[in-house]
Amino acid sequence: MNMFFLNWKMMRGAFKSFLFGIGLMAIIGIYNAYTCTMFESKNLESLLLLSFGHLELGKEIFPVLFWIAPQLYLIWILRNCISSELNANAVYIFTRTGKRAKWLLSKLLFLLILNLLYWLIQFTVVYVVGSIAGFSFYNIQEGIQLIFRQYTLMVLLSYFYILIVNILSLKSNVIIGYFVAVFINIFSIFISSFFYKYLEKGPTLIKFLPSSQAIITWHDSISGFPNRLGLFEFRLSGFSVMYSIVYLIIFCLVFIIYGCYSIEHMDIV
């Protein structure tokens, strides 16, 4: 019962924090709606892709900040969900639950649920902004499939960073874990531009960077719809959505396994 109360308290706190994220996403949605209008592409597919799944390499930094800000905010509000409860209730948790790894897995599952809800809300906010602005689906069946893939990639990428923060916090400070996650995220974006501009094999290397996995317009296996817009031209040959899904799942599992190992061998004070 106490564990349920802790989870419910955490969820209430997270949803209160989500309110700022809604406002942030509304601003980003309005900005991207204006961009789409300039390109005479008033459809929901292009708006949602611009908001969540597109970056132009080597271009302005402003779109990069807009793309990365909702991720950094989510990572921040979920940064200490495990460490704070562990520090406050370590003795109770491990004397009642018996298995430390089982407790950790339950918390990581809860973080995944919050992550899923956060991005569902974010996508809905942009959809509402677009609908109010008079946007509609270009091809509803194709568009929904494309957006669902983007949602999946964004959820997995964010969960990867959330795991980094929370698992590293078992071994070090939460702030250190947060800055490691932020550094990897930002570094992945800017090193992609460097690879693209200055290295002959750069495009191949981009496919191995974490943040690249969630930029769906860089993938070559998605629908041809973005090409018809004239907005999304850059493609990486052999870079499929399935590759990115498997990539992110594997790295998430690595951190989960490492977390279970770490917590089983922790000394609880």
Side-chain angles (χ1 to χ4, degrees):
M1 180 64 71
N2 191 55
M3 190 66 65
F4 173 80
F5 174 76
L6 289 172
N7 285 342
W8 173 247
K9 184 178 180 181
M10 187 190 301
M11 181 170 283
R12 283 196 308 168
F15 273 111
K16 288 180 181 178
S17 300
F18 284 1
L19 293 177
F20 177 82
I22 291 173
L24 176 64
M25 203 66 238
I27 294 172
I28 294 172
I30 292 170
Y31 172 83
N32 286 324
Y34 173 75
T35 301
C36 288
T37 302
M38 289 180 60
F39 279 89
E40 298 182 351
S41 183
K42 295 190 66 173
N43 53 74
L44 290 168
E45 291 96 332
S46 58
L47 175 59
L48 287 161
L49 287 179
L50 275 177
S51 300
F52 300 104
H54 175 67
L55 281 177
E56 291 190 51
L57 289 173
K59 295 299 178 70
E60 300 176 13
I61 194 170
F62 201 50
V64 174
L65 295 176
F66 266 4
W67 185 78
I68 207 170
Q71 301 172 48
L72 299 187
Y73 180 67
L74 174 63
I75 300 166
W76 174 256
I77 62 179
L78 299 181
R79 71 194 182 282
N80 61 351
C81 289
I82 290 177
S83 63
S84 61
E85 186 175 333
L86 188 60
N87 292 334
N89 303 288
V91 176
Y92 175 83
I93 290 169
F94 295 120
T95 55
R96 293 298 183 92
T97 60
K99 294 184 178 180
R100 302 178 180 186
K102 182 179 179 181
W103 173 83
L104 179 64
L105 289 173
S106 70
K107 306 309 295 182
L108 295 180
L109 175 61
F110 191 69
L111 288 174
L112 176 59
I113 292 171
L114 290 176
N115 181 36
L116 287 163
L117 291 174
Y118 175 85
W119 288 111
L120 180 61
I121 292 171
Q122 298 294 73
F123 274 68
T124 302
V125 168
V126 175
Y127 172 82
V128 171
V129 169
S131 298
I132 292 174
F135 285 55
S136 60
F137 279 107
Y138 182 88
N139 182 314
I140 189 167
Q141 181 177 357
E142 185 179 290
I144 289 175
Q145 291 176 354
L146 187 60
I147 299 310
F148 178 76
R149 293 176 190 175
Q150 178 57 52
Y151 172 78
T152 301
L153 293 176
M154 190 59 75
V155 165
L156 287 173
L157 179 67
S158 296
Y159 192 56
F160 168 65
Y161 290 129
I162 291 167
L163 286 172
I164 290 177
V165 176
N166 282 274
I167 298 303
L168 290 184
S169 70
L170 297 174
K171 290 288 189 178
S172 62
N173 188 281
V174 172
I175 298 300
I176 293 176
Y178 180 76
F179 278 106
V180 168
V182 170
F183 174 79
I184 293 173
N185 198 344
I186 296 176
F187 178 79
S188 294
I189 295 301
F190 286 103
I191 199 67
S192 295
S193 294
F194 175 82
F195 287 161
Y196 177 70
K197 285 184 175 180
Y198 302 110
L199 296 183
E200 182 179 351
K201 297 291 185 180
T204 300
L205 296 175
I206 290 172
K207 293 186 288 187
F208 297 102
L209 298 171
S211 292
S212 303
Q213 312 308 317
I215 305 176
I216 199 170
T217 60
W218 292 1
H219 294 68
D220 69 355
S221 62
I222 65 172
S223 163
F225 172 77
N227 286 328
R228 296 199 294 270
L229 293 178
L231 290 174
F232 316 116
E233 298 178 354
F234 178 69
R235 287 285 192 282
L236 292 171
S237 178
F239 192 33
S240 69
V241 171
M242 184 54 64
Y243 165 87
S244 292
I245 290 174
V246 173
Y247 174 107
L248 291 170
I249 288 176
I250 288 174
F251 274 91
C252 286
L253 288 175
V254 167
F255 270 93
I256 290 171
I257 293 170
Y258 174 71
C260 290
Y261 174 84
S262 298
I263 202 168
E264 287 286 0
H265 293 83
M266 276 182 65
D267 292 325
I268 306 300
V269 180

